[in-house]
Each structure stands twice: as C-alpha cells, then as structure tokens.
Amino acid sequence: MARILSIDYGQKRAGVAVTDAEAIIASPLTTLPAAKTLDWVLEYIKTEQVSTIVVGKAIDMRGQPSAASRFIEPFVRKLETALAASGITIARMDERFTSVMAHQTLIDVGISRKIKHDKGIVDKVSAAIILQSYMHTLINRTT
C-alpha cells in the first residue's frame, strides 16, 4: 500500500507529515524551508510509494481564500504540474485552526515551553493534524 503525505505550506516554512505504509497512522515528519519543499517532495517520492499528497487550504471564517492563499496556491499549481504524470493525487484540506490545535497538542503532551514556540515543530504537527483530518474524511466516506 502507499503512504499519504501532508504539507502545511507557509510563507517561510512547510511542515510535512506522512502515514505509515498501510496509511493508518499519521505522524509529523519534517519541517522544510518553503522554497525547498517541492524539490524535497520530488526526492521523497523517488524512494517512497505515495498515493496522495494533501495540502492545507487556507480559507477564512467565511469560506473565502485567506491572505495565505497568495503563496500556497502557486505552490499547489507547481506541485500539480510536477506530479501530472505520476498518478499521485493532490487533495486539499481545510487548515483553519490547525496551528492552534498543534499548540494545544504540544501543551497536552507536556512539551516544554521552548519547544512549544518552535514554529518548525508546530508546522509539522499542523501537517499531521491536516493529514489526520483528511484520513477521517476517507473513513466517513466508506461508512
């Protein structure tokens, strides 16, 4: 079976999460400089079988594209172009509140104050939350 990869793409950094090979468990993987994310993904899929890449969709409380969309959407278009012949699906998932949820998760598990404020850790936990939400929608479709 193939993995599902998730990207919480930001202006400076991108958090990445991935499932296990059976696509059952989502785990934070890494944080990358935003400018290196596409190249990293292309290298990753050379060694790991990936069926889907989920990218957070930046929308505001009214369901409209948020300010962050201006740098996320060009990345998604480049990713779609680069993966056009690969058979990998690009999916989008609402990313509202994922950073807040990531901060709360770090507090809940007792991560120290210094690490809680490390935006790289927050980004990859946010990517895992996006991925878990996506996996939940897949489960709900089959039930």
Side-chain angles (χ1 to χ4, degrees), residues 38 42 45 76-86:
L38 181 59
L42 296 176
I45 65 173
V76 172
R77 286 191 294 277
K78 289 176 188 173
L79 184 64
E80 288 171 337
T81 300
L83 298 178
S86 70

Side-chain angles (χ1 to χ4, degrees), residues 123-142:
D123 290 339
K124 64 185 174 181
V125 171
S126 293
I129 292 168
I130 291 167
L131 182 51
Q132 193 64 48
S133 296
Y134 176 76
M135 293 167 60
H136 185 72
T137 64
L138 294 178
I139 292 168
N140 285 340
R141 287 183 199 161
T142 61

Side-chain angles (χ1 to χ4, degrees), residues 57-123:
K57 186 171 185 170
I59 53 179
D60 64 21
M61 295 305 294
R62 292 173 281 154
Q64 300 299 313
S66 74
S69 294
R70 73 181 190 281
F71 47 88
I72 296 171
E73 297 311 313
F75 168 75
V76 172
R77 286 191 294 277
K78 289 176 188 173
L79 184 64
E80 288 171 337
T81 300
L83 298 178
S86 70
I88 296 173
T89 301
I90 307 294
R92 302 301 301 277
M93 197 73 210
D94 185 351
E95 67 175 29
R96 284 180 285 189
F97 305 115
T98 56
S99 292
V100 172
M101 292 168 28
H103 278 286
Q104 187 60 51
T105 299
L106 294 171
I107 290 167
D108 291 348
V109 298
I111 299 296
S112 77
R113 201 166 258 257
K114 179 183 173 194
I115 293 174
K116 279 191 306 199
H117 297 296
D118 179 337
K119 293 185 189 299
I121 292 174
V122 172
D123 290 339

Side-chain angles (χ1 to χ4, degrees), residues 5-26:
L5 194 71
S6 174
I7 302 170
D8 180 22
Y9 192 83
Q11 189 171 9
K12 295 179 183 176
R13 289 173 309 282
V16 180
V18 68
T19 65
D20 57 301
E22 289 76 34
I24 296 171
I25 299 169

